[in-house]
Amino acid sequence: MEVRIPKHIARDESARLECKYDLGQEPLYSVKWYKDGNEFYRYVPQERPQVQIFTLPGVIVDLHNSSESTVVLSRVDLISSGIYKCEVSAEAPSFQTVSERGHMIVVAMPKDGPRITGGRPRYQIGDTVRVNCTSARSKPAATLQWFINSELADPNFLLGPWYHAERDDLETSTLGLQFKVKPRHFRKSDMKLKCLATIASVYWRSNEESVENEKPREAVMESRGTAPPTSNTASSASLVISLMVISAATIVSSYVAVPR
């Protein structure tokens, strides 16, 4: 016996549950489906009607597409998650009964892709990158990964993850990235930071930012010298010297002794 139940399925989609069995030569008596121990679908070929459906929260059976080996659930919701079991019984006199089960998780996917915050458009060698990646409102919370130039980030660079419970039982997840920029992080003066958000096999979204290598500016030395005196300045200096000579001569003459 084998059951095929999707492990993960997106909310509002249809889930196909299959039950493969072989009773050999014994005729089939009934096929029953249960969710978390509660019966919601019964197929008995000898009865009329052959199919009975029992009301169960989160379980909407698509009767038109269901049969003795397949049950289709319409518009699954978070409450549709659970353990589903198929039970097959043979007709009298043996009434042999076999069963198998599987776990189905309904995923509420984020409306948007992951968001990167805290980054700058340019970094220099030696700067510290501090950025966060956030995937909002989902169930279960998205798994986040950081990539630097398409390579998975060193686990030592990661901060978190952190989870925040939202309304309607949804969750927001955040993963930080922090590292010191080295020359190897730039490829042709460009560094790419990418965040990937996944939920099982039903959700896969990413966001990428490209930053430039900002090279440090070289210091410019300014030389200041003393300009040579202009012609006007030289003439003024000559005039001052001449006046000083005349004044000195006058002072000396006033002290010359008059003969008696």
Side-chain angles (χ1 to χ4, degrees):
M1 182 179 184
E2 178 187 8
V3 293
R4 296 178 182 176
I5 299 171
K7 292 183 178 180
H8 295 86
I9 188 168
R11 183 166 60 176
D12 293 329
E13 290 189 355
S14 294
R16 186 181 182 87
L17 316 179
E18 296 181 285
C19 186
K20 304 296 182 182
Y21 53 88
D22 183 8
L23 297 177
Q25 301 300 318
E26 297 185 64
L28 174 67
Y29 171 67
S30 68
V31 177
K32 299 178 181 180
W33 278 94
Y34 300 82
K35 175 186 179 289
D36 298 330
N38 300 298
E39 184 180 1
F40 66 88
Y41 182 88
R42 181 185 297 176
Y43 175 85
V44 183
Q46 303 303 322
E47 294 183 357
R48 294 295 181 271
Q50 294 179 321
V51 175
Q52 285 184 273
I53 297 175
F54 306 95
T55 303
L56 204 61
V59 177
I60 302 174
V61 176
D62 180 353
L63 187 58
H64 180 71
N65 291 304
S66 300
S67 64
E68 73 277 8
S69 61
T70 302
V71 172
V72 176
L73 306 182
S74 301
R75 303 190 308 277
V76 296
D77 205 344
L78 295 179
I79 198 173
S80 306
S81 298
I83 297 175
Y84 289 81
K85 182 180 73 172
C86 175
E87 181 182 272
V88 179
S89 299
E91 187 62 89
S94 71
F95 286 107
Q96 174 190 357
T97 300
V98 291
S99 65
E100 191 60 71
R101 68 190 64 198
H103 191 195
M104 183 177 78
I105 298 176
V106 178
V107 176
M109 296 188 293
K111 293 183 178 179
D112 301 306
R115 184 166 52 95
I116 297 175
T117 56
R120 307 201 312 252
R122 298 176 183 83
Y123 288 92
Q124 293 183 6
I125 304 300
D127 285 351
T128 298
V129 174
R130 294 185 184 91
V131 289
N132 283 330
C133 176
T134 301
S135 181
R137 293 178 51 74
S138 68
K139 185 69 175 183
T143 299
L144 301 175
Q145 292 177 293
W146 274 108
F147 294 82
I148 304 174
N149 297 323
S150 300
E151 296 180 1
L152 195 61
D154 188 323
N156 294 320
F157 295 170
L158 304 181
L159 303 174
W162 303 284
Y163 301 100
H164 178 68
E166 303 283 354
R167 63 181 185 276
D168 300 330
D169 201 29
L170 303 183
E171 295 179 276
T172 293
S173 56
T174 300
L175 182 65
L177 178 69
Q178 178 176 310
F179 65 97
K180 183 168 289 188
V181 179
K182 297 182 179 180
R184 61 183 175 85
H185 290 135
F186 286 107
R187 296 180 179 178
K188 296 182 179 179
S189 298
D190 181 75
M191 175 172 57
K192 297 187 184 303
L193 303 176
K194 183 174 76 172
C195 176
L196 174 66
T198 60
I199 304 178
S201 59
V202 298
Y203 179 79
W204 186 282
R205 293 282 297 275
S206 65
N207 188 9
E208 184 177 271
E209 289 190 355
S210 181
V211 298
E212 298 178 357
N213 182 7
E214 183 180 37
K215 296 182 179 180
R217 297 179 180 178
E218 295 182 359
V220 178
M221 299 296 293
E222 183 178 354
S223 176
R224 294 185 178 181
T226 302
T230 60
S231 57
N232 292 336
T233 303
S235 300
S236 299
S238 299
L239 178 60
V240 170
I241 293 172
S242 299
L243 291 174
M244 290 176 64
V245 171
I246 294 172
S247 298
T250 304
I251 294 171
V252 171
S253 61
S254 62
Y255 282 94
V256 174
V258 178
R260 294 179 182 177

